[in-house]
Amino acid sequence: MVRLFKPSFRKQIARIEVAGAIASDTRKRVLEALKQVEERKFPALLLRIDSPGGTVGDSQEIYQALKRLGEKIKIVASFGNISASGGVYIGMGAQHIVANPGTVTGSIGVILRGNNLERLLERIGVSFKVIKSGPYKDILAFDRELTEPEQHILQELIDTSYGQFVQTVAEARNLAVETVRGFADGRIFTGQQALELGVVDRLGTEEDARRWACELAGLDPEKTRTFNIEEKKSLLRRLRTGSEMQGDRLGSLLTHRLSSATDWIEFELATSGVPLWMYRP
């Protein structure tokens, strides 16, 4: 059936959800979604964030894209169950932020982890012969301890990334840099505490954030529809999803949890030795 009239996006608000660890797949999906928001000329965006954070570069690219889009439309972020570290960072790209009183947020800081299996490898008689172009090419190698110069190099890396985070929060929330440093020590806090610190603007639900976005765009919250921009699924994935919905619910739940656990393990392995804006409980 041919559509005679195109839907009017100017009288709707867009909704994008950022859930789970932020990595390259999240960045690609969100950037594509933001492009759709701009092309379809939505007057406002509701950004739902439920994430413990993720990789530094991917979080920065999402933040920058939100800042550019914010020059054209209204953006309200809604912090869900958890919006910490990199989740906070991308939230800074919104003009306004709403959090639940009990939202877990904060964890403003940087972490980098490596694995030292030297003693284990010695026990099983495994060693590595390394040929390298410079003394730091195998920094964070898992078969040896870090040297003091290496620790200094990595600490400088972390400090630089941390400084970028603090500066962004200070600018976005109109706070002094030293004020932000006072609570940006990696600690987590609730949405209520975030309001008192100036990290968020209001306490409320996602629905409250949606209504605020409508009002900012000059739309009636009672009548305005929300358009969810979701990742496009292949035909195979759609069929599989439909089959799971019709199948055993317990089996589907277990499959989902196993998939989530597998995704987290893959994320841990992929980001070993990478600076992260990540809350790790």
Side-chain angles (χ1 to χ4, degrees):
M1 180 178 178
V2 179
R3 289 189 178 181
L4 299 178
F5 303 99
K6 293 183 178 180
S8 176
F9 296 115
R10 292 180 181 272
K11 294 185 178 181
Q12 301 181 55
I13 67 168
R15 178 184 182 276
I16 296 174
E17 183 171 359
V18 180
I22 301 166
S24 59
D25 287 344
T26 308
R27 170 181 53 80
K28 292 173 185 176
R29 178 181 64 80
V30 174
L31 293 186
E32 177 58 33
L34 293 176
K35 183 179 179 182
Q36 291 183 47
V37 173
E38 182 175 3
E39 291 177 344
R40 294 175 177 179
K41 300 185 184 302
F42 285 97
L45 167 65
L46 171 61
L47 180 69
R48 177 67 169 183
I49 304 173
D50 204 333
S51 169
T55 51
V56 173
D58 293 310
S59 299
Q60 286 181 324
E61 289 198 30
I62 294 173
Y63 162 78
Q64 291 293 344
L66 285 166
K67 289 290 289 183
R68 289 192 296 269
L69 182 62
E71 295 174 358
K72 301 178 180 180
I73 72 170
K74 306 298 182 182
I75 303 176
V76 177
S78 167
F79 285 1
N81 183 54
I82 179 172
S83 183
S85 210
V88 171
Y89 194 92
I90 63 175
M92 295 299 108
Q95 295 131 346
H96 307 286
I97 303 174
V98 178
N100 292 294
T103 293
V104 175
T105 186
S107 189
I108 299 172
V110 194
I111 186 170
L112 183 151
R113 298 198 311 180
N115 301 305
N116 181 9
L117 306 180
E118 183 178 9
R119 294 177 62 184
L120 174 62
L121 294 173
E122 287 178 353
R123 283 190 176 187
I124 60 178
V126 176
S127 63
F128 293 86
K129 304 301 180 184
V130 179
I131 309 299
K132 52 188 178 181
S133 58
Y136 307 120
K137 186 60 181 173
D138 65 339
I139 197 169
L140 274 180
F142 63 83
D143 60 327
R144 64 176 179 82
E145 277 284 0
L146 279 173
T147 65
E148 286 191 14
E150 287 173 334
Q151 290 182 24
H152 179 71
I153 289 171
L154 293 177
Q155 189 62 59
E156 285 190 334
L157 175 70
I158 294 299
D159 292 344
T160 299
S161 181
Y162 171 73
Q164 294 168 3
F165 201 155
V166 169
Q167 186 66 39
T168 296
V169 174
E171 292 177 358
R173 305 307 303 166
N174 195 28
L175 298 169
V177 169
E178 289 309 311
T179 298
V180 176
R181 286 186 183 274
F183 58 77
D185 53 8
R187 78 183 72 175
I188 55 173
F189 35 81
T190 66
Q192 175 70 55
Q193 292 171 314
L195 177 65
E196 296 167 0
L197 293 169
V199 177
V200 306
D201 298 292
R202 295 182 183 177
L203 296 180
T205 64
E206 180 180 354
E207 173 60 17
D208 294 324
R210 184 198 70 81
R211 296 178 70 87
W212 194 9
C214 291
E215 292 168 358
L216 290 170
L219 300 172
D220 185 348
E222 301 295 341
K223 299 178 180 179
T224 302
R225 296 179 59 186
T226 302
F227 189 93
N228 280 291
I229 300 181
E230 300 175 337
E231 181 181 11
K232 293 181 179 179
K233 296 182 179 179
S234 65
L235 177 60
L236 179 60
R237 289 182 64 187
R238 291 200 299 270
L239 290 173
R240 186 172 62 185
T241 301
S243 176
E244 289 176 352
M245 290 177 64
Q246 295 176 9
D248 177 62
R249 290 188 176 182
L250 178 58
S252 297
L253 178 61
L254 291 174
T255 300
H256 173 71
R257 288 184 175 178
L258 180 60
S259 176
S260 298
T262 302
D263 290 344
W264 187 257
I265 292 172
E266 289 180 353
F267 178 81
E268 286 278 356
L269 292 174
T271 58
S272 178
V274 176
L276 299 174
W277 288 335
M278 170 70 74
Y279 166 55
R280 295 179 181 272

